[in-house]
Structure formats: C-alpha cells, structure tokens
Amino acid sequence: MLDKIKDFASTFFVTGDPLIYGADVSIALATIAIIFVLTYFKKWTWLWREWLTTVDHKRVGIMYIIASILMLFRGGVDALLMRTQLAMPDMEFLQPEHYNQIFTTHGVIMILFMAMPLMFGLFNIAVPLQIGARDVAFPFLNALSFWLFFFGAMLFNMSFVIGGSPDAGWLAYPPLSELSHSPGVGQNFYIWGIQISGIGSLMTGINFIVTILKMRAPGMKLMKMPMFSWSVLSSCIAIIFAFPILTVTLALLFLDRFMGAHFFTLDGGGNPMMYINLIWMWGHPEVYIVVLPAFGIFSEVVATFAKKKLFGYKSMVFAMMIISILSFFTWAHHFFTMGSGANVNAFFAITTMIIAIPTGVKVFNWLFTMYRGKIRFDTPMLWTIGFIPCFIVGGMTGVLLSVAPADFQFHNSYFLIAHFHQVLIGGVAFGYFAGLYYWWPKIFGFKLNEKLGKWAFWLWNIGFYVCFMPQYFLGLDGMTRRLSTYGWDSGWYGLNLTSTIGGFLMGIGFIFQVWQIAHSIKFMERDTTGDPWNGRTLEWSIPSPAPLYNFATIPTASVQDPWWEEKQRLEQGGKPAPKAKLEPIHMPKNSAIPFIKSLCWFIAGFGFVFGWMFFAIPGMIGVAVCMLAHSFNYDTDYYIPVDEIERTEAAARGSV
C-alpha cells in the first residue's frame, strides 16, 4: 500500500528539480501566512462578505488587477529564468524539457492571465464611471466572469507543481500537443485552464458591449463618448467573435487527446495546419483585443495632461473600429512559410500592411493633441510618451514581417521575438501601466509616489531596449526561437548577455513598482479633490474612491469631455447646475453563486485533466445546480434609501 502511495505521489507531484522544490516551499509558506493572518485578525467573514461574494464592479476590477500583478510576477520570473539560461553559451541552468515548459507557461500567463485581467480590471474601474452608469449591465455575470478567469488561471498554474507544465509552446501546435508527443497531463492543464478562463472573457465582452450601448448617461451619444469607452467597445466586439474560435479549437484538441479523435493528427486523417489556422484566427485578433484598450488609455491621458481636447476624435473612433474588423483578416501572416501559394500570401500581406494605416493615424492624433499643449509629465504621461517611439519601432518591424518573401528569413527567428515583445510590452504593458497610474487615485483614494514611479519608468524603458534591441540582430544572424542553448562558435554570446542584463533591469523596475505601491499605502497622499489630474471625463466628478452607487444622481452628458466643460463654464462665472432630487438607488445584492459555480468548474476541469470522472462529473453537476439555483433566486436586488445616500455623500464630500 505504501509503495502504491509513493508511486502515485511521484507521478502526481513534480519532482527532481530544485527550482520546483523551492516553489513548493514558497507556495506552502504563502498559504500558511494567508491563513494565519485571516484567522488572527478574524477576517474570514469580511473576506467572504466584502470580496468573494461581491458583485460591485469596482471591487471586481480591483481583484482583476491584483490577480494580474501576481501573474506579471510569475510570468516575469519565467522570463528571467529563460534569459539566465541563454546568458552564456552551453549553460546548464535549465534542462531542455524544463526550458520548454517555462517558455510555454510564460507566453500563456503574460497574454491570457496578465494582460487580459489587467485590461478587464481597468474596464471595470473606468467604463461605468466614464459613461455615468451606476453599475455594469449584468453585475452577477461580471462576478462570474472574474471567478471563472481566476479559477482557470489557478488550474493552469497548478501544473507547475502538480502533474507537470505544458511544453508544446504557448499556442500548442500539433503534433507537439497531441498525445503522441505530450503524453502527460500538462497539455490538459493548458486546455482546461484556458477554456474555463476563456468562458469568463467571452462573458465580459458581452457584458461591456451591453453596458456601453444601453447604460450611458442621458445626452451621451456614441460620438460624445470618452475614447477609452470606445476602445473597450471595439475590443469587446472582437472578443465576442474571436473567443468562440478559441473555445472550439481547444475542444477539438481535447477530443483528440481524450477520446482518440483525429481532427489534427495527420496519420489519422486529420490536418495539423487546420489547428494552426484556427488558433491564429483567434490569436491575431487577440493582439488587437489587448492593445485597443491601451490606445484608449493613451487618448485619455494625452488629453488630460496636455490640457487639450483630443485631436481627431472621429478619426480615432473610425480607426479603432476598422482595426477590430481588419484584425480578422490578417491571421495567415503568422505562417507565410506554410506553402499556401502566392495569391494567399499576397492577400494577407496586403491586409497586414493596411491595418498599419489606422494604427498610424492614432499616433499622429496623440502627437497633434500634445502640440502646443501645456503638458504635465506625471507618471501616466511618461508611460504614454515612452510608448510612442517603442510602438513605432514595433510597427515598422511588423510591416517588415508582413512582406511575405522577407518573412521567409525572419520566420521563427529572434527578430520575431523582438517584434512582438516590442508591440506587446511597449503597447500593451506600457498602456496598462499608464491606465493603472491614471486611475489609481479613483480606485483607492490616494496617489502613488511619483519619485518611485519615475524610477520604475526609466528602469523599465532602459531595460526594455537593452533586452530586445539585441534580439533583432540575433534573429538576423540566424538565432531561432525556442533554443535552450547555443555554442561558443555561434557568435551570439555578447548580444544574449546584453539582452539578459536588460531583462533583469526590467525586473528591477517591477520591484520599484511594488515598492512604490507599498510606500504609497504607508504614506498615503490622499486624493482630497476627487479630481487629482484635473480630468475631463465623468469619473473625476465624484469622490475618490467612488461610492458603492457611483453617482448620487445620474449626470447629464451632452458634450464631449462633460466634466471639463462644466469646470470651464463655472470658471467663466456660470451658475452651478441645480442639484437633482435624491431618490432611492436600485442596486444588486451580493451573491455566492459566481464563486461556488466557478469552483465547481475548477473541480470539473481538474477531473478532466487527469481523466478522473469521479471529479469531473460531480463538478459539472455542481455547475448545473448553481445554474438552477440562480434561475429560482428572485431576491437579487435592494434599494439604498435616501438618508443613507445623504450620509455617504456628506462623509465623502467632507473628505474631498
């Protein structure tokens, strides 16, 4: 019996690597510390009531942001492990199998479990406040979306210490991801972690489309809407068309692995290139899904810190909507080398070049907005300015990659690695950092320390260029991606060492950001105005942090930048608008069902990963029971009475 337990434990748990043992210890210590703190300070009830069961969009947004910062740490550690392995020729820091697992998990975590939740967190924080709404359209669905993401991410991350991580690359191309080449459970963790979180992403897309189209303040026509809300709308339109493709693709791959189907197995009559087409039909729109909201953030930040109305508002709107549509017609540029023929390659080369036009339009709009503006160089503006040259280089190298004959040279080389990090770090990460700094006072009621923020900015930027500029030359010199080692005779030593130094500089920049948050929590620079940046949109018209109900009375917004226009009117001697009569506010009640239902999905996913139907079936039954319970739950809302609104407003206005 003891031998059977030992055999099971040796296959169930990942063993044999000191790094894994270190992770086991850190996970155990962190878990014990969290349980101790919650128990010692008697916070279990508070945690359940205020956070685990909340449907408040602002708290959901905070949980998304916290999760994304943790995933940024995990994905960043993966990146530094890879750069350490490649710093010198013939390194044996990571074994080849472990290296494959790390670059697979790094890509998945950074795109799906860091960028996406940080994006959704900013959606939740800013969009309802910008459009003058008291909540999102479907608060219950919003909470369910977060918990599905969270448990999907946890399921994926468990593979690090249980069962083994996937190692077929972050897009899991067959045949590497089929049972023949990945017989372990790592690839199942990949499939079910992404599937569960992907359902939440699709729900979020639906939720915010309805919120934006149906819940805008009176007078706010679409063409008067803030640019960030426009970027969210364009991103969510792409989400609802792209993510079903991902869901179906991974479902087919799971059927190949679990039931012996042959959708993508060549020797069984399938076609692995069908998988690559399908995954990139999701994958390339996904790039624009995460970058479009960053464009919206830059638009808000530039207008605020240049103290000017955004230049070319209509062209920005059209550019974003055109990008969300064109993004579905460029996927084949990821495999020009497939052999589709000159006509197919020419079509996708042209569409890839065309999509650069609306992208370039936005850059010129931001530059013209700054022209002759009274620019303040606070940290949100620094990240925005830092983005522009970085994204221009990324865009130019993208155009080079869109030339099909040239791509035969660049394909699968470190030139490509440098390009997409240039776009995704310089565009997405810099954009979301700008948004996080910009809306931080509105979220938490205090500003982040500017001095530490500027240290973080410069370390990130310098480290970025030191890390990725050498990789363009490595690619042109013949270094292909996914290499875990190289020889002294390759001549790549100097550039790889330089790149590794840049990676660690970015890591130090992240440490400064964590220090900045901790320092700012201890020495809070309170936002006593509700409008610390002299903002232009409606979120800056209410106290910081925003009350539960956001707006005591629904504002009217018949012009672009309504809060800015109102401030200008008052400065010119206009009379304050008469206050509307307070009325009871209708709000949704908290619910435990999103958390419990997502936990059931986690249990079912864990069962499917190991083929344990005694786990999977009860988990799916739990999901069905939660759906049934919610269908018969009619006690879902309540009203905040006027006297409570008056007390809340008096307390908030007394401190702001």
Side-chain angles (χ1 to χ4, degrees), residues 123-148:
F123 284 13
N124 274 279
I125 294 298
V127 171
L129 301 181
Q130 281 201 331
I131 64 173
R134 289 198 171 116
D135 212 326
V136 294
F138 308 115
F140 177 92
L141 193 69
N142 197 35
L144 180 59
S145 299
F146 169 76
W147 289 114
L148 284 170

PDB file of all heavy atoms in Angstrom, residues 123-148:
ATOM      1  N   PHE A 123     -11.348  47.974 -17.371  1.00  0.00           N
ATOM      2  CA  PHE A 123     -12.725  48.063 -17.881  1.00  0.00           C
ATOM      3  C   PHE A 123     -13.674  48.324 -16.713  1.00  0.00           C
ATOM      4  O   PHE A 123     -14.523  49.225 -16.748  1.00  0.00           O
ATOM      5  CB  PHE A 123     -13.160  46.744 -18.531  1.00  0.00           C
ATOM      6  CG  PHE A 123     -12.612  46.464 -19.902  1.00  0.00           C
ATOM      7  CD1 PHE A 123     -11.570  47.192 -20.429  1.00  0.00           C
ATOM      8  CD2 PHE A 123     -13.146  45.433 -20.671  1.00  0.00           C
ATOM      9  CE1 PHE A 123     -11.059  46.917 -21.689  1.00  0.00           C
ATOM     10  CE2 PHE A 123     -12.656  45.153 -21.929  1.00  0.00           C
ATOM     11  CZ  PHE A 123     -11.607  45.888 -22.437  1.00  0.00           C
ATOM     12  N   ASN A 124     -13.570  47.466 -15.684  1.00  0.00           N
ATOM     13  CA  ASN A 124     -14.499  47.522 -14.563  1.00  0.00           C
ATOM     14  C   ASN A 124     -14.373  48.810 -13.778  1.00  0.00           C
ATOM     15  O   ASN A 124     -15.371  49.361 -13.305  1.00  0.00           O
ATOM     16  CB  ASN A 124     -14.262  46.323 -13.639  1.00  0.00           C
ATOM     17  CG  ASN A 124     -15.032  45.087 -14.065  1.00  0.00           C
ATOM     18  OD1 ASN A 124     -16.216  44.949 -13.777  1.00  0.00           O
ATOM     19  ND2 ASN A 124     -14.371  44.193 -14.778  1.00  0.00           N
ATOM     20  N   ILE A 125     -13.139  49.289 -13.632  1.00  0.00           N
ATOM     21  CA  ILE A 125     -12.933  50.506 -12.842  1.00  0.00           C
ATOM     22  C   ILE A 125     -13.480  51.731 -13.562  1.00  0.00           C
ATOM     23  O   ILE A 125     -14.181  52.560 -12.975  1.00  0.00           O
ATOM     24  CB  ILE A 125     -11.428  50.699 -12.557  1.00  0.00           C
ATOM     25  CG1 ILE A 125     -10.903  49.590 -11.639  1.00  0.00           C
ATOM     26  CG2 ILE A 125     -11.157  52.083 -11.979  1.00  0.00           C
ATOM     27  CD1 ILE A 125     -11.544  49.534 -10.279  1.00  0.00           C
ATOM     28  N   ALA A 126     -13.180  51.851 -14.858  1.00  0.00           N
ATOM     29  CA  ALA A 126     -13.368  53.130 -15.541  1.00  0.00           C
ATOM     30  C   ALA A 126     -14.653  53.253 -16.346  1.00  0.00           C
ATOM     31  O   ALA A 126     -15.275  54.322 -16.361  1.00  0.00           O
ATOM     32  CB  ALA A 126     -12.175  53.410 -16.460  1.00  0.00           C
ATOM     33  N   VAL A 127     -15.070  52.194 -17.038  1.00  0.00           N
ATOM     34  CA  VAL A 127     -16.150  52.355 -18.028  1.00  0.00           C
ATOM     35  C   VAL A 127     -17.466  52.811 -17.398  1.00  0.00           C
ATOM     36  O   VAL A 127     -18.053  53.811 -17.853  1.00  0.00           O
ATOM     37  CB  VAL A 127     -16.337  51.073 -18.858  1.00  0.00           C
ATOM     38  CG1 VAL A 127     -17.597  51.165 -19.715  1.00  0.00           C
ATOM     39  CG2 VAL A 127     -15.123  50.840 -19.749  1.00  0.00           C
ATOM     40  N   PRO A 128     -17.992  52.138 -16.357  1.00  0.00           N
ATOM     41  CA  PRO A 128     -19.262  52.641 -15.798  1.00  0.00           C
ATOM     42  C   PRO A 128     -19.156  54.081 -15.305  1.00  0.00           C
ATOM     43  O   PRO A 128     -20.111  54.858 -15.453  1.00  0.00           O
ATOM     44  CB  PRO A 128     -19.543  51.663 -14.641  1.00  0.00           C
ATOM     45  CG  PRO A 128     -18.808  50.417 -15.014  1.00  0.00           C
ATOM     46  CD  PRO A 128     -17.556  50.891 -15.699  1.00  0.00           C
ATOM     47  N   LEU A 129     -18.006  54.439 -14.723  1.00  0.00           N
ATOM     48  CA  LEU A 129     -17.835  55.815 -14.233  1.00  0.00           C
ATOM     49  C   LEU A 129     -17.756  56.801 -15.386  1.00  0.00           C
ATOM     50  O   LEU A 129     -18.272  57.921 -15.297  1.00  0.00           O
ATOM     51  CB  LEU A 129     -16.582  55.910 -13.368  1.00  0.00           C
ATOM     52  CG  LEU A 129     -16.524  55.015 -12.127  1.00  0.00           C
ATOM     53  CD1 LEU A 129     -15.221  55.252 -11.372  1.00  0.00           C
ATOM     54  CD2 LEU A 129     -17.714  55.257 -11.209  1.00  0.00           C
ATOM     55  N   GLN A 130     -17.102  56.415 -16.479  1.00  0.00           N
ATOM     56  CA  GLN A 130     -16.965  57.326 -17.622  1.00  0.00           C
ATOM     57  C   GLN A 130     -18.296  57.599 -18.306  1.00  0.00           C
ATOM     58  O   GLN A 130     -18.519  58.699 -18.823  1.00  0.00           O
ATOM     59  CB  GLN A 130     -15.984  56.742 -18.638  1.00  0.00           C
ATOM     60  CG  GLN A 130     -14.532  56.922 -18.278  1.00  0.00           C
ATOM     61  CD  GLN A 130     -13.631  56.810 -19.488  1.00  0.00           C
ATOM     62  OE1 GLN A 130     -13.938  56.122 -20.464  1.00  0.00           O
ATOM     63  NE2 GLN A 130     -12.499  57.496 -19.446  1.00  0.00           N
ATOM     64  N   ILE A 131     -19.161  56.608 -18.362  1.00  0.00           N
ATOM     65  CA  ILE A 131     -20.427  56.785 -19.089  1.00  0.00           C
ATOM     66  C   ILE A 131     -21.570  57.195 -18.166  1.00  0.00           C
ATOM     67  O   ILE A 131     -22.723  57.283 -18.605  1.00  0.00           O
ATOM     68  CB  ILE A 131     -20.802  55.520 -19.881  1.00  0.00           C
ATOM     69  CG1 ILE A 131     -21.073  54.341 -18.951  1.00  0.00           C
ATOM     70  CG2 ILE A 131     -19.712  55.182 -20.901  1.00  0.00           C
ATOM     71  CD1 ILE A 131     -21.602  53.105 -19.666  1.00  0.00           C
ATOM     72  N   GLY A 132     -21.271  57.429 -16.895  1.00  0.00           N
ATOM     73  CA  GLY A 132     -22.295  57.906 -15.968  1.00  0.00           C
ATOM     74  C   GLY A 132     -23.262  56.833 -15.511  1.00  0.00           C
ATOM     75  O   GLY A 132     -24.417  57.142 -15.204  1.00  0.00           O
ATOM     76  N   ALA A 133     -22.802  55.584 -15.422  1.00  0.00           N
ATOM     77  CA  ALA A 133     -23.667  54.472 -15.004  1.00  0.00           C
ATOM     78  C   ALA A 133     -23.380  54.100 -13.559  1.00  0.00           C
ATOM     79  O   ALA A 133     -22.276  54.332 -13.043  1.00  0.00           O
ATOM     80  CB  ALA A 133     -23.440  53.271 -15.913  1.00  0.00           C
ATOM     81  N   ARG A 134     -24.361  53.503 -12.913  1.00  0.00           N
ATOM     82  CA  ARG A 134     -24.175  53.080 -11.523  1.00  0.00           C
ATOM     83  C   ARG A 134     -23.587  51.678 -11.416  1.00  0.00           C
ATOM     84  O   ARG A 134     -23.141  51.277 -10.348  1.00  0.00           O
ATOM     85  CB  ARG A 134     -25.514  53.144 -10.774  1.00  0.00           C
ATOM     86  CG  ARG A 134     -25.972  54.580 -10.512  1.00  0.00           C
ATOM     87  CD  ARG A 134     -27.020  54.627  -9.426  1.00  0.00           C
ATOM     88  NE  ARG A 134     -27.289  55.993  -9.030  1.00  0.00           N
ATOM     89  CZ  ARG A 134     -28.465  56.605  -9.185  1.00  0.00           C
ATOM     90  NH1 ARG A 134     -29.467  55.954  -9.745  1.00  0.00           N
ATOM     91  NH2 ARG A 134     -28.617  57.851  -8.785  1.00  0.00           N
ATOM     92  N   ASP A 135     -23.615  50.945 -12.500  1.00  0.00           N
ATOM     93  CA  ASP A 135     -23.088  49.583 -12.475  1.00  0.00           C
ATOM     94  C   ASP A 135     -22.919  49.113 -13.907  1.00  0.00           C
ATOM     95  O   ASP A 135     -23.223  49.844 -14.857  1.00  0.00           O
ATOM     96  CB  ASP A 135     -24.035  48.638 -11.713  1.00  0.00           C
ATOM     97  CG  ASP A 135     -23.289  47.524 -11.004  1.00  0.00           C
ATOM     98  OD1 ASP A 135     -22.259  47.060 -11.535  1.00  0.00           O
ATOM     99  OD2 ASP A 135     -23.730  47.113  -9.913  1.00  0.00           O
ATOM    100  N   VAL A 136     -22.432  47.890 -14.061  1.00  0.00           N
ATOM    101  CA  VAL A 136     -22.416  47.274 -15.383  1.00  0.00           C
ATOM    102  C   VAL A 136     -23.795  46.685 -15.661  1.00  0.00           C
ATOM    103  O   VAL A 136     -24.640  46.589 -14.772  1.00  0.00           O
ATOM    104  CB  VAL A 136     -21.335  46.170 -15.468  1.00  0.00           C
ATOM    105  CG1 VAL A 136     -19.956  46.775 -15.361  1.00  0.00           C
ATOM    106  CG2 VAL A 136     -21.537  45.102 -14.401  1.00  0.00           C
ATOM    107  N   ALA A 137     -24.032  46.274 -16.892  1.00  0.00           N
ATOM    108  CA  ALA A 137     -25.361  45.785 -17.275  1.00  0.00           C
ATOM    109  C   ALA A 137     -25.737  44.520 -16.512  1.00  0.00           C
ATOM    110  O   ALA A 137     -26.888  44.354 -16.097  1.00  0.00           O
ATOM    111  CB  ALA A 137     -25.398  45.527 -18.789  1.00  0.00           C
ATOM    112  N   PHE A 138     -24.765  43.616 -16.320  1.00  0.00           N
ATOM    113  CA  PHE A 138     -25.043  42.326 -15.681  1.00  0.00           C
ATOM    114  C   PHE A 138     -24.041  42.103 -14.548  1.00  0.00           C
ATOM    115  O   PHE A 138     -23.009  41.448 -14.746  1.00  0.00           O
ATOM    116  CB  PHE A 138     -24.950  41.189 -16.706  1.00  0.00           C
ATOM    117  CG  PHE A 138     -25.783  41.406 -17.939  1.00  0.00           C
ATOM    118  CD1 PHE A 138     -25.193  41.567 -19.184  1.00  0.00           C
ATOM    119  CD2 PHE A 138     -27.170  41.463 -17.858  1.00  0.00           C
ATOM    120  CE1 PHE A 138     -25.957  41.770 -20.318  1.00  0.00           C
ATOM    121  CE2 PHE A 138     -27.946  41.674 -18.987  1.00  0.00           C
ATOM    122  CZ  PHE A 138     -27.338  41.821 -20.219  1.00  0.00           C
ATOM    123  N   PRO A 139     -24.321  42.631 -13.344  1.00  0.00           N
ATOM    124  CA  PRO A 139     -23.358  42.518 -12.233  1.00  0.00           C
ATOM    125  C   PRO A 139     -23.054  41.071 -11.852  1.00  0.00           C
ATOM    126  O   PRO A 139     -21.896  40.730 -11.558  1.00  0.00           O
ATOM    127  CB  PRO A 139     -24.061  43.255 -11.083  1.00  0.00           C
ATOM    128  CG  PRO A 139     -25.052  44.159 -11.746  1.00  0.00           C
ATOM    129  CD  PRO A 139     -25.494  43.446 -12.982  1.00  0.00           C
ATOM    130  N   PHE A 140     -24.073  40.213 -11.824  1.00  0.00           N
ATOM    131  CA  PHE A 140     -23.862  38.799 -11.488  1.00  0.00           C
ATOM    132  C   PHE A 140     -22.915  38.155 -12.501  1.00  0.00           C
ATOM    133  O   PHE A 140     -21.965  37.451 -12.134  1.00  0.00           O
ATOM    134  CB  PHE A 140     -25.207  38.072 -11.468  1.00  0.00           C
ATOM    135  CG  PHE A 140     -25.109  36.593 -11.208  1.00  0.00           C
ATOM    136  CD1 PHE A 140     -25.188  36.089  -9.917  1.00  0.00           C
ATOM    137  CD2 PHE A 140     -24.944  35.694 -12.253  1.00  0.00           C
ATOM    138  CE1 PHE A 140     -25.097  34.728  -9.676  1.00  0.00           C
ATOM    139  CE2 PHE A 140     -24.852  34.337 -12.026  1.00  0.00           C
ATOM    140  CZ  PHE A 140     -24.926  33.851 -10.737  1.00  0.00           C
ATOM    141  N   LEU A 141     -23.160  38.411 -13.773  1.00  0.00           N
ATOM    142  CA  LEU A 141     -22.322  37.850 -14.834  1.00  0.00           C
ATOM    143  C   LEU A 141     -20.898  38.386 -14.722  1.00  0.00           C
ATOM    144  O   LEU A 141     -19.927  37.667 -15.008  1.00  0.00           O
ATOM    145  CB  LEU A 141     -22.910  38.200 -16.203  1.00  0.00           C
ATOM    146  CG  LEU A 141     -22.364  37.450 -17.414  1.00  0.00           C
ATOM    147  CD1 LEU A 141     -22.788  35.998 -17.363  1.00  0.00           C
ATOM    148  CD2 LEU A 141     -22.864  38.085 -18.707  1.00  0.00           C
ATOM    149  N   ASN A 142     -20.759  39.622 -14.291  1.00  0.00           N
ATOM    150  CA  ASN A 142     -19.444  40.233 -14.137  1.00  0.00           C
ATOM    151  C   ASN A 142     -18.623  39.507 -13.069  1.00  0.00           C
ATOM    152  O   ASN A 142     -17.443  39.200 -13.269  1.00  0.00           O
ATOM    153  CB  ASN A 142     -19.609  41.708 -13.762  1.00  0.00           C
ATOM    154  CG  ASN A 142     -18.350  42.513 -13.971  1.00  0.00           C
ATOM    155  OD1 ASN A 142     -17.594  42.278 -14.905  1.00  0.00           O
ATOM    156  ND2 ASN A 142     -18.119  43.474 -13.093  1.00  0.00           N
ATOM    157  N   ALA A 143     -19.269  39.227 -11.920  1.00  0.00           N
ATOM    158  CA  ALA A 143     -18.584  38.480 -10.861  1.00  0.00           C
ATOM    159  C   ALA A 143     -18.239  37.071 -11.327  1.00  0.00           C
ATOM    160  O   ALA A 143     -17.142  36.562 -11.066  1.00  0.00           O
ATOM    161  CB  ALA A 143     -19.460  38.434  -9.612  1.00  0.00           C
ATOM    162  N   LEU A 144     -19.166  36.440 -12.045  1.00  0.00           N
ATOM    163  CA  LEU A 144     -18.911  35.095 -12.569  1.00  0.00           C
ATOM    164  C   LEU A 144     -17.740  35.108 -13.546  1.00  0.00           C
ATOM    165  O   LEU A 144     -16.904  34.192 -13.546  1.00  0.00           O
ATOM    166  CB  LEU A 144     -20.177  34.562 -13.247  1.00  0.00           C
ATOM    167  CG  LEU A 144     -20.097  33.153 -13.852  1.00  0.00           C
ATOM    168  CD1 LEU A 144     -19.748  32.122 -12.789  1.00  0.00           C
ATOM    169  CD2 LEU A 144     -21.422  32.800 -14.536  1.00  0.00           C
ATOM    170  N   SER A 145     -17.642  36.143 -14.362  1.00  0.00           N
ATOM    171  CA  SER A 145     -16.534  36.258 -15.307  1.00  0.00           C
ATOM    172  C   SER A 145     -15.198  36.285 -14.576  1.00  0.00           C
ATOM    173  O   SER A 145     -14.242  35.609 -14.986  1.00  0.00           O
ATOM    174  CB  SER A 145     -16.680  37.539 -16.147  1.00  0.00           C
ATOM    175  OG  SER A 145     -17.867  37.529 -16.893  1.00  0.00           O
ATOM    176  N   PHE A 146     -15.127  37.069 -13.497  1.00  0.00           N
ATOM    177  CA  PHE A 146     -13.865  37.129 -12.762  1.00  0.00           C
ATOM    178  C   PHE A 146     -13.504  35.783 -12.160  1.00  0.00           C
ATOM    179  O   PHE A 146     -12.358  35.328 -12.288  1.00  0.00           O
ATOM    180  CB  PHE A 146     -13.911  38.174 -11.640  1.00  0.00           C
ATOM    181  CG  PHE A 146     -12.725  38.046 -10.719  1.00  0.00           C
ATOM    182  CD1 PHE A 146     -11.477  38.500 -11.122  1.00  0.00           C
ATOM    183  CD2 PHE A 146     -12.838  37.422  -9.480  1.00  0.00           C
ATOM    184  CE1 PHE A 146     -10.369  38.340 -10.311  1.00  0.00           C
ATOM    185  CE2 PHE A 146     -11.731  37.257  -8.659  1.00  0.00           C
ATOM    186  CZ  PHE A 146     -10.495  37.721  -9.074  1.00  0.00           C
ATOM    187  N   TRP A 147     -14.459  35.147 -11.488  1.00  0.00           N
ATOM    188  CA  TRP A 147     -14.110  33.904 -10.798  1.00  0.00           C
ATOM    189  C   TRP A 147     -13.800  32.789 -11.784  1.00  0.00           C
ATOM    190  O   TRP A 147     -12.962  31.922 -11.489  1.00  0.00           O
ATOM    191  CB  TRP A 147     -15.212  33.511  -9.819  1.00  0.00           C
ATOM    192  CG  TRP A 147     -15.242  34.422  -8.637  1.00  0.00           C
ATOM    193  CD1 TRP A 147     -16.221  35.292  -8.279  1.00  0.00           C
ATOM    194  CD2 TRP A 147     -14.194  34.577  -7.667  1.00  0.00           C
ATOM    195  NE1 TRP A 147     -15.869  35.986  -7.154  1.00  0.00           N
ATOM    196  CE2 TRP A 147     -14.628  35.563  -6.754  1.00  0.00           C
ATOM    197  CE3 TRP A 147     -12.947  33.988  -7.484  1.00  0.00           C
ATOM    198  CZ2 TRP A 147     -13.849  35.959  -5.672  1.00  0.00           C
ATOM    199  CZ3 TRP A 147     -12.165  34.383  -6.401  1.00  0.00           C
ATOM    200  CH2 TRP A 147     -12.616  35.348  -5.512  1.00  0.00           C
ATOM    201  N   LEU A 148     -14.410  32.781 -12.960  1.00  0.00           N
ATOM    202  CA  LEU A 148     -14.020  31.807 -13.984  1.00  0.00           C
ATOM    203  C   LEU A 148     -12.585  32.062 -14.442  1.00  0.00           C
ATOM    204  O   LEU A 148     -11.795  31.121 -14.606  1.00  0.00           O
ATOM    205  CB  LEU A 148     -14.978  31.872 -15.173  1.00  0.00           C
ATOM    206  CG  LEU A 148     -16.349  31.223 -14.969  1.00  0.00           C
ATOM    207  CD1 LEU A 148     -17.283  31.578 -16.123  1.00  0.00           C
ATOM    208  CD2 LEU A 148     -16.225  29.711 -14.841  1.00  0.00           C
TER     209      LEU A 148
END
